[in-house]
Amino acid sequence: MAVGLGAGRLIPGLGGALDAIAVQGVSLPIALGLLVMMYPVLAKVRYDRLDTVTGDRRLLVSSLVLNWVLGPALMFALAWLLLPDLPEYRTGLIIVGLARCIAMVIIWNDLACGDREAAAVLVALNSVFQVIAFAGLGWFYLDVLPGWLGLPQAALNISPWEIAISVVVFLGIPLVAGYLSRRVGERAKGRDWYESRFLPRIGPFALYGLLFTIVILFALQGDAITSRPLDVARIALPLLAYFAIMWAGSYALGKAVGLSYERTTTLAFTAAGNNFELAIAVAIATFGVTSGQALAGVVGPLIEVPVLVALVYVSLAARRRWFRTRTAPATAPTPQES
């Protein structure tokens, strides 16, 4: 993050040059980093075990409610409560709350030793709902609900096609690549070779891709972030509250309904994370690259990355204290694998 911010601030024209490398509104440098980041994790997924996840109604229903009912409503409430005098930033945060995570959450889940198969299913579920519901929820939270409450209204101009492109690039490509890798690798060399030889070789690239993505992301907006520190601080406050409430509430819900550590962890991270790539793209397309809405979208990962990394450690500590036995050892990675 520091390297990206410094490069964006000190190298003239770097942010503009990186931003220009885009196709259909998708930043190619960010897409490259996310593909490299997600492929190794999705190649580790045991796709023959996905039926054990799709049959877990507690997990699926909890995830849908957290992601598409409570998450957007909580961000709407925090944005209006803490930024009543800053309408551009408030709108940007509401957009962030509507963009449910379909990419980087896979890394946080893996580092916290969550259930890989459950993460793949929940991320795919979020992707489907993102294409179907994002535009409608944007209309509801920016126009309809403020009108009912007598608050200033805004408009969101985004088509389902643009959202679908984001889903295909950031999830579809690495998901297909990971699935084909396991199918072809196991058929050609066997499962033992695939899991003991192939996966350890590609595993480190997930973190390389994560670091590359973070550097590029902050290089793109380094000047905007460092030149407006007070605005960044105002935007950061509701974001901190949002991540803490969503993660802790999801974790408590998972434990209350009897989920294992692995699936509780997956539920918490998939509910707390956001699709900042989509949120930034929507804010820029609708309000402009220099808008306050775009800045609020950029500040999202500035806060999300360190907070969710910290929550990985909190989750691992909670496993030792609250989960004495592992109820699903076959579906979760070991710390060495992560």
Side-chain angles (χ1 to χ4, degrees), residues 241-256:
Y242 172 84
F243 292 132
I245 294 172
M246 283 299 295
W247 189 90
S250 302
Y251 209 91
L253 175 62
K255 185 165 174 57

Side-chain angles (χ1 to χ4, degrees), residues 18-218:
L18 291 172
D19 193 49
I21 309 174
V23 176
Q24 294 289 318
V26 176
S27 169
L28 294 186
I30 291 179
L32 174 63
L34 289 173
L35 293 178
V36 173
M37 177 188 78
M38 293 178 66
Y39 166 68
V41 180
L42 290 171
K44 295 177 182 178
V45 171
R46 286 287 301 275
Y47 292 93
D48 56 332
R49 292 178 178 163
L50 294 185
D51 59 333
T52 66
V53 180
T54 55
D56 191 340
R57 293 186 178 181
R58 295 171 303 171
L59 177 67
L60 298 182
V61 172
S62 296
S63 180
L64 287 175
V65 171
L66 288 167
N67 275 288
W68 297 101
V69 179
L70 297 181
L74 176 62
M75 187 68 89
F76 176 86
L78 290 171
W80 275 100
L81 179 65
L82 299 176
L83 300 175
D85 56 330
L86 298 171
E88 289 189 359
Y89 299 154
R90 184 176 64 235
T91 298
L93 285 182
I94 292 172
I95 294 173
V96 170
L98 297 175
R100 313 313 300 169
C101 196
I102 63 169
M104 201 170 283
V105 66
I106 291 178
I107 287 288
W108 310 135
N109 178 73
D110 211 49
L111 292 174
C113 299
D115 188 319
R116 289 188 184 125
E117 287 70 40
V121 170
L122 295 186
V123 164
L125 193 64
N126 275 346
S127 300
V128 172
F129 271 79
Q130 202 154 93
V131 174
I132 296 172
F134 184 91
L137 286 174
W139 169 71
F140 177 76
Y141 279 105
L142 293 175
D143 188 9
V144 176
L145 185 56
W148 290 349
L149 299 176
L151 302 172
Q153 297 164 284
L156 187 63
N157 181 25
I158 184 69
S159 72
W161 172 244
E162 292 174 277
I163 301 170
I165 291 176
S166 172
V167 169
V168 168
V169 171
F170 296 133
L171 177 63
I173 293 175
L175 184 61
V176 170
Y179 173 77
L180 292 177
S181 293
R182 180 170 281 277
R183 288 294 299 272
V184 173
E186 288 188 355
R187 285 185 178 181
K189 298 281 190 175
R191 180 167 293 173
D192 183 66
W193 173 88
Y194 183 83
E195 295 191 345
S196 64
R197 300 287 297 277
F198 179 71
L199 290 182
R201 290 179 182 175
I202 67 171
F205 285 93
L207 293 181
Y208 301 157
L210 172 64
L211 294 174
F212 175 82
T213 302
I214 291 172
V215 170
I216 294 297
L217 181 66
F218 289 102

